């Protein structure tokens, strides 16, 4: 049976995961800009990227616990706000320290995206469709 609400929620969750992926690749496409704007070396830019992914990886399991204990709506709202704040901070900073803090903020907030999408899929779809819809989410974001 086709449930419009479930598919609408899936679409929004998938777009949020895509947004998080764009944030993750932002560093790769803006290396020269970051380097010149902050007057830092390529090694420092690599450290910013590494800090982002380290924060992202370290928060995957805690993100699941937080999503289970706190409303998913508020968790995703907070995560999206923190990602935007991190992007703004990265855009206006002239300090390597604040660039590191922005990367940590964005990495921590981004860790909630895919975990939340999987939780939402589990809540809104038939268990027989779970793996198919999770695969569609991964596939859509791999394009």
């Amino acid at each position: 049976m086709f449930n419009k609400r479930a598919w609408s929620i899936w679409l929004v969750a998938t777009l949020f995961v895509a947004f998080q992926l764009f944030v993750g690749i932002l560093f790769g496409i803006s290396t020269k800009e970051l380097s010149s704007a902050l007057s830092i070396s390529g090694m420092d830019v690599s450290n910013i990227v590494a800090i982002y992914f380290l924060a992202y990886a370290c928060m995957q399991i805690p993100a699941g616990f937080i999503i289970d204990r706190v409303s998913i709506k508020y968790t995703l709202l907070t995560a999206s706000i923190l990602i935007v704040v991190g992007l703004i901070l990265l855009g206006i900073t002239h300090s390597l320290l604040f660039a590191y803090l922005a990367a940590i903020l964005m990495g921590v907030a981004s860790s909630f995206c895919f975990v939340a999408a999987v939780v939402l899929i589990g809540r809104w779809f038939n268990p027989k469709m779970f793996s198919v819809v999770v695969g569609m989410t991964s596939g859509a974001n791999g394009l």
Side-chain angles (χ1 to χ4, degrees):
M1 183 172 180
F2 186 79
N3 183 340
K4 282 185 180 182
R5 186 168 170 101
W7 285 105
S8 297
I9 289 170
W10 170 80
L11 180 62
V12 171
T14 300
L15 290 173
F16 191 48
V17 173
F19 172 68
Q20 173 266 318
L21 290 173
F22 286 127
V23 170
I25 64 170
L26 167 77
F27 298 110
I29 60 175
S30 62
T31 303
K32 290 181 183 177
E33 290 81 3
L34 273 173
S35 184
S36 65
L38 299 175
S39 300
I40 57 176
S41 69
M43 180 67 83
D44 291 328
V45 174
S46 297
N47 287 338
I48 294 170
V49 175
I51 286 173
Y52 168 83
F53 284 109
L54 181 63
Y56 177 84
C58 288
M59 280 300 295
Q60 289 289 295
I61 292 174
F65 287 129
I66 292 168
I67 288 170
D68 284 342
R69 289 184 178 34
V70 180
S71 166
I72 197 164
K73 186 187 324 181
Y74 298 118
T75 305
L76 286 178
L77 178 64
T78 303
S80 61
I81 289 170
L82 291 177
I83 291 172
V84 170
V85 168
L87 286 168
I88 291 170
L89 181 61
L90 186 64
I92 64 172
T93 190
H94 297 292
S95 162
L96 183 59
L97 175 64
F98 282 110
Y100 287 152
L101 292 175
I104 291 169
L105 187 63
M106 289 185 295
V108 166
S110 293
S111 68
F112 288 85
C113 297
F114 189 75
V115 175
V118 171
V119 169
L120 286 169
I121 291 166
R123 288 183 185 172
W124 283 93
F125 286 90
N126 183 328
K128 291 181 181 179
M129 290 290 295
F130 179 78
S131 58
V132 172
V133 179
V134 170
M136 288 171 53
T137 304
S138 294
N141 287 295
L143 296 176

